[in-house]
Amino acid sequence: MYNTVSDEQIDNEIESRYRPHAMNASSRDLPLCELSDRDFEILTYQLIKEEITDNEHNGYDNISLMQGVGERGRDCVIYSNDEVVAVVQCKKYKSNITRPALLKELIKFLLHLTIDESLFSGNKVKYLFYVSKSLTEPAAKLINQFSKEILNDIKEGKVRGYIKAVV
């Protein structure tokens, strides 16, 4: 069973949270890095929930926000016909996410899946990674050419090192 948060709990959390100052409308960056980790998770949840409501995600019909502690790499869980089809991992950093940091997060999630297959209900699950800043160029390259890039990292022994660091 998932430890999700009710809409009422989310509303209570939102009311009690810090609100960053409004920014100049011409600014390119939002002050997402000023939010707490939990506030960033709640914002991500609300944005995805609104997109699901507006039918912007084909195949998604519901989203749940997790409790926020010990959720095994899942800040939100997305459903289709009551089955988990995607998980959302939120990372709020003041700098761009590096390739090693991205791979370590993915490894953590995969290790949790290996230990507990009940984390998803179907044959496959989408892993959505939301960040407050951006990705470094090597991290973006990994995402855009994953099959090729991950093989290079495996051959070079980097993935083994990241697994050891995570474990």
Side-chain angles (χ1 to χ4, degrees):
M1 187 66 178
Y2 300 120
N3 294 322
T4 59
V5 180
S6 70
D7 287 340
E8 184 179 341
Q9 286 174 291
I10 293 168
D11 290 341
N12 289 337
E13 281 192 59
I14 291 169
E15 287 302 314
S16 66
R17 297 289 188 184
Y18 162 77
R19 289 177 180 80
H21 299 290
M23 295 192 60
N24 181 336
S26 65
S27 176
R28 289 186 40 172
D29 294 330
L30 296 174
L32 298 175
C33 297
E34 292 181 31
L35 297 172
S36 71
D37 291 345
R38 186 61 175 171
D39 288 338
F40 184 64
E41 292 168 6
I42 291 170
L43 175 63
T44 302
Y45 161 82
Q46 288 180 308
L47 291 172
I48 296 170
K49 184 176 182 176
E50 186 68 26
E51 290 172 347
I52 290 170
T53 300
D54 291 344
N55 293 316
E56 293 180 32
H57 293 286
N58 188 22
Y60 296 171
D61 52 38
N62 199 7
I63 183 170
S64 293
L65 177 67
M66 306 307 283
Q67 288 285 343
V69 178
E71 294 301 342
R72 300 168 289 186
R74 305 162 309 145
D75 295 313
C76 298
V77 177
I78 300 174
Y79 302 90
S80 177
N81 299 318
D82 295 325
E83 285 195 8
V84 176
V85 293
V87 296
V88 178
Q89 173 68 347
C90 301
K91 286 295 165 190
K92 188 210 54 96
Y93 293 150
K94 291 190 184 286
S95 59
N96 293 343
I97 302 288
T98 64
R99 185 177 180 130
L102 174 62
L103 273 170
K104 287 176 186 176
E105 290 301 325
L106 184 55
I107 289 166
K108 284 183 210 175
F109 178 68
L110 292 172
L111 288 172
H112 286 298
L113 282 182
T114 302
I115 294 167
D116 184 359
E117 293 178 9
S118 72
L119 296 180
F120 67 101
S121 45
N123 291 354
K124 63 181 183 177
V125 64
K126 233 181 207 183
Y127 182 76
L128 305 172
F129 195 69
Y130 280 68
V131 298
S132 57
K133 190 81 172 159
S134 190
L135 302 172
T136 62
E137 185 175 335
K141 187 174 182 182
L142 174 68
I143 287 176
N144 291 318
Q145 300 173 11
F146 188 80
S147 297
K148 175 186 168 197
E149 291 296 316
I150 195 66
L151 288 177
N152 291 337
D153 285 358
I154 291 169
K155 287 177 189 173
E156 294 172 8
K158 292 177 183 176
V159 171
R160 178 183 290 270
Y162 299 149
I163 292 171
K164 286 181 179 181
V166 167
V167 171

